[in-house]
Amino acid sequence: MDLSRVEGQRLVAVIGALFVHGSDAPELSHVWLRLESVTLLVRVAADWTLRIEPDEPEESYTMPEWDSRVDVVPASDGVPFVRHVGERLVRVVEWFDVEDHDELMEAEFVFDTGSVVAWSFGGDLHLAGGHERVLGGGDPAR
């Protein structure tokens, strides 16, 4: 997907898929970013690459044979995208594998007041707040 098409749209909501196994703590496995005109799914694929694609949130489901479930719920404040709800998505910067230029490994979502970095490591989705800035001040690029 050409992510430049979503630049300038406001982030309306953030939805997360939490994988829960037995009594273990939930792990965030997918994030849906609901923008004004499209919802983007941010996830790690089976080949461990980061995927960003248009998609709607799925329903929660259980896997009783593995004592597991996936809860699809509004994302908690611990998900860095949540602090940017209501802000404009200024741009998305993507980084690809140096050996295979088709494999997306990291993306920085730049908003009005800061950014969120999403990356794949060890087959898991990782998120972190990036550069924080005052509206109109400075370039958040690395």
Side-chain angles (χ1 to χ4, degrees), residues 63-132:
M63 298 172 284
E65 63 276 12
W66 293 309
D67 190 27
S68 302
R69 69 180 192 273
V70 174
D71 297 329
V72 177
V73 296
S76 72
D77 290 342
V79 176
F81 285 110
V82 171
R83 75 182 72 139
H84 299 290
V85 169
E87 295 182 21
R88 241 176 357 109
L89 179 60
V90 177
R91 71 177 172 270
V92 180
V93 181
E94 300 174 285
W95 286 275
F96 293 85
D97 186 285
V98 292
E99 294 177 10
D100 185 348
H101 301 288
D102 291 330
E103 292 187 7
L104 179 62
M105 299 309 291
E106 183 176 323
E108 182 176 25
F109 295 79
V110 180
F111 294 93
D112 290 329
T113 62
S115 64
V116 175
V117 178
W119 71 96
S120 169
F121 182 76
D124 295 325
L125 176 63
H126 296 270
L127 302 173
H131 298 80
E132 300 298 324

Side-chain angles (χ1 to χ4, degrees), residues 1-11 33-41 52-56 88-94 109-110:
M1 167 178 191
D2 178 7
L3 293 173
S4 66
R5 293 184 5 216
V6 298
E7 291 176 357
Q9 293 190 29
R10 293 205 182 277
L11 180 62
L33 305 176
R34 191 169 305 278
L35 300 168
E36 291 172 306
S37 70
V38 67
T39 300
L40 296 178
L41 170 60
I52 304 168
E53 54 206 2
D55 193 25
E56 287 298 318
R88 241 176 357 109
L89 179 60
V90 177
R91 71 177 172 270
V92 180
V93 181
E94 300 174 285
F109 295 79
V110 180

